[in-house]
Amino acid sequence: MDGRDLVRSVRVFATVRGLRAMRSAWRQRRTDAWALRPPGAERARVPGPAQGVERLPGGGIVRFARSQVRVCVSSGGTVFWGWDGAEPLPSYAVAGRVPEPDPRAELEPDKGGGWRVVSERVTVAVSRNGAVEVRTPGGVVLRRDMPPRWWEPAAGGPARWVQRSEVPADARFFGLGGRASGPRLRGGTYRLWNTDPRGSFGPGDDPLYITMPVQFVVSDAGTHLAFHDSSWDGQVTLREGEEGAGSGHDRPGASEVRMSGGPLRCWVVVGTPARVLHGWTALTGAPALPPSWALGPQHARWGFGSQEEVRRVVAGYRERELPLSALHLDIDHYEAHQVFTVDEERFPDLPGLARELREEGVRLVSIVDPGVKAERGNPVYEAGSRVGSSGAFVRDPRGGAVRGVVWPGECVYPDFTDPAVREWWGGLYEERLARGFSGVWHDMNEPVSFTPFGDMTLPRSARHALEGRGGDHREAHNVYGLAMARAGYEGLRRLRPDERPFLFSRSGWAGMQRYGGTWSGDVSTGWPGLRASLSLVLGLGLCGVPYSGPDVGGFDGSPSPELFLRWFQLGAWLPLFRTHAAIDAGRREPWEFGPEVLEHARAALAERERLRPYFVTLAHLARRTGAPYVRPVWWGSPEDRALRDCEDAFLLGDALLVAPVLTRGTDRRAVRLPRGRWYDTATGAAHEGPGQVLVDAPLSRVPVFARAGAVIAVRGADGAEELEVWAPPVGRTGGGLVVRDAGDGWAEAELERYTSRVVDGRVVVERVTPEGAVEAGRKVRVRGPGGGAGVRVR
């Protein structure tokens, strides 16, 4: 524990009167010491020399002296390999069935006594000593995994393992879940253990709430994603490579994955960034589609205090003509912080308040924590105790319910890895819906148990169902938040089958996008926290979680007017746009920072609302293709090395490039553009990429660029949808996809494809259909050179 942890511990314990937490922590440590004895002597093992093979569809099994590996290439080019009999299933990450093997791919001899599997999109080679290489169809190596090593306890038990890998010298690493120090991950060690950082965090804090063994690697040779499917505690050590100068040798980039247990199995997806994310979400599940209102501005505070204060805040938005889609209630609206209750004194008519706000276009969203107060007479605790033969709660090795201390006091924790518990818990959301809530956000679900020692979590010896297989918290910890999200999402679907659920979760794991999104958690108030906010959103998008956003303004402390405005302007371009603050951090309504900030925030809100149809399109495309709304600037040009190192700007879909202001006192900034022509949306000036431009960034706005030829759906001045087209250069074409919002149910939305080009000095916009070009059927506004003159719509 360092000095920062000690300060945070004192703060937590002062908040919760930590005597009971101290008792609980000592009890947990004593239980772990008894149930998880040191492994003692261990035997190290490596595969040894190859001894034979067994051919199977899509690949086969290569047997070594002391191990074996199964390799399978799917029809779509996704690669799986598993050591020591590890199969793709069971897995918390994989959605449903695994991809079908490629019937044309066969295991065949390779040079040096090894074996290979050749397919249309990828080649996998296994050396005679157990190294696994992933190559492009042209034979260029994307990734080389060295022979793994295991350490097996002589007395039996889970084996720990290490997998070392090499990537090209020019490669850059991304991913690993939500990392505040990214999005590009420099050399260093990153832990794989979902963690509440014990207070607010900044770029130097790691790990955080969502860790995933998912590496997204970009190099000249190509792009690939590697996923080591083990949920156990682990760490990833990365080292970027170096290219030799002159006749010097390249030093490849390196990755070392160390796991304390679980199977050694890996998935690799190769291709362009778009193809990689499409293959990844095909494997782990399509992102949940948020209801359209969840793409609008949202407001939260820990400490509204009463329904009258809620009315005051909403009235403030309305009186100032500021759009607001949702308002979030934190734990202070509960009775003594107990989940699925309401403080009737401060919120005497919550359903009436919800109806009133909904008539004004504002939805209520409720926080839900997993900790259930362990107290006789608590209906949730009593009902959970009757679930199944031994109750719904996580148990210790002796069979007693594990107890920890969270906001309500001494609590027990539902075991969401048990299907019966998930069904029971999902049914409890009926109470939230009856109160008038339209969605939920999951908090404290790493899970958290306040303690003065290291991790604030459950004992590692705690027992979980793990879908009937049985196991302990070492395996279940990282998937706890994922399983809770599943329980909530499936419960909401059962209770309101005609509505798309709205759910986002502080913690999760690979595949969490199936059930909703996430947010930054308690990001620190300050310019470093603002930068970390963008890092988290970009990194999570490359791990398959497209819907996320930060606490605008930071969770703790009081932002300066300039900092709040720059954070607000960034948030307006991110998928989840939500202001939020701690109970003692002051108000975060835009008008609290003075008239100048209010006017500039009004402009950011107006632009977000104008672009709402574009966000709807991005949400549908994310569900269909896995492409995140917010993308690194190298997304379409991964071969551009300068773009790989750009971390202070991002693409919003394919059409827009946003360059937020991330440093104090900035009124001009440099922006690196991908190839093609880009228009400054404020001035109309055209810039040719690739290259860097210096542009104005006044306090009133952040620089935003539109790709020449782009066609996007926007909301016109009259509120109706129209098409905004940025004029393509003469001799070039452009276009865009538009998805009409089909409401917040499950109706399949129609996808429209448009092209743009210049003919005889006029911009021609056509809708492409299987029958050919047809009339757009919408109002079209052309921006760029010539304004709207000479527009011809077909």
Side-chain angles (χ1 to χ4, degrees), residues 449-462:
S449 174
F450 295 139
T451 169
F453 313 113
D455 294 334
M456 303 207 308
T457 186
L458 303 186
R460 296 186 173 220
S461 59

Side-chain angles (χ1 to χ4, degrees), residues 286-353:
L289 186 64
S292 56
W293 58 263
L295 298 171
Q298 305 178 48
H299 186 79
R301 189 201 305 164
W302 179 13
F304 278 118
S306 69
Q307 63 183 44
E308 292 309 313
E309 175 65 6
V310 169
R311 286 193 176 96
R312 186 195 72 81
V313 170
V314 173
Y317 274 88
R318 184 177 63 250
E319 290 163 6
R320 293 167 178 83
E321 298 182 340
L322 303 176
L324 181 66
S325 288
L327 189 138
H328 300 212
L329 298 187
D330 211 317
I331 55 174
D332 55 288
H333 87 279
Y334 282 132
E335 178 66 41
H337 296 159
Q338 294 185 59
V339 68
F340 301 120
T341 66
V342 169
D343 186 331
E344 301 288 352
E345 182 175 338
R346 292 183 297 133
F347 292 86
D349 183 17
L350 197 51
L353 175 66

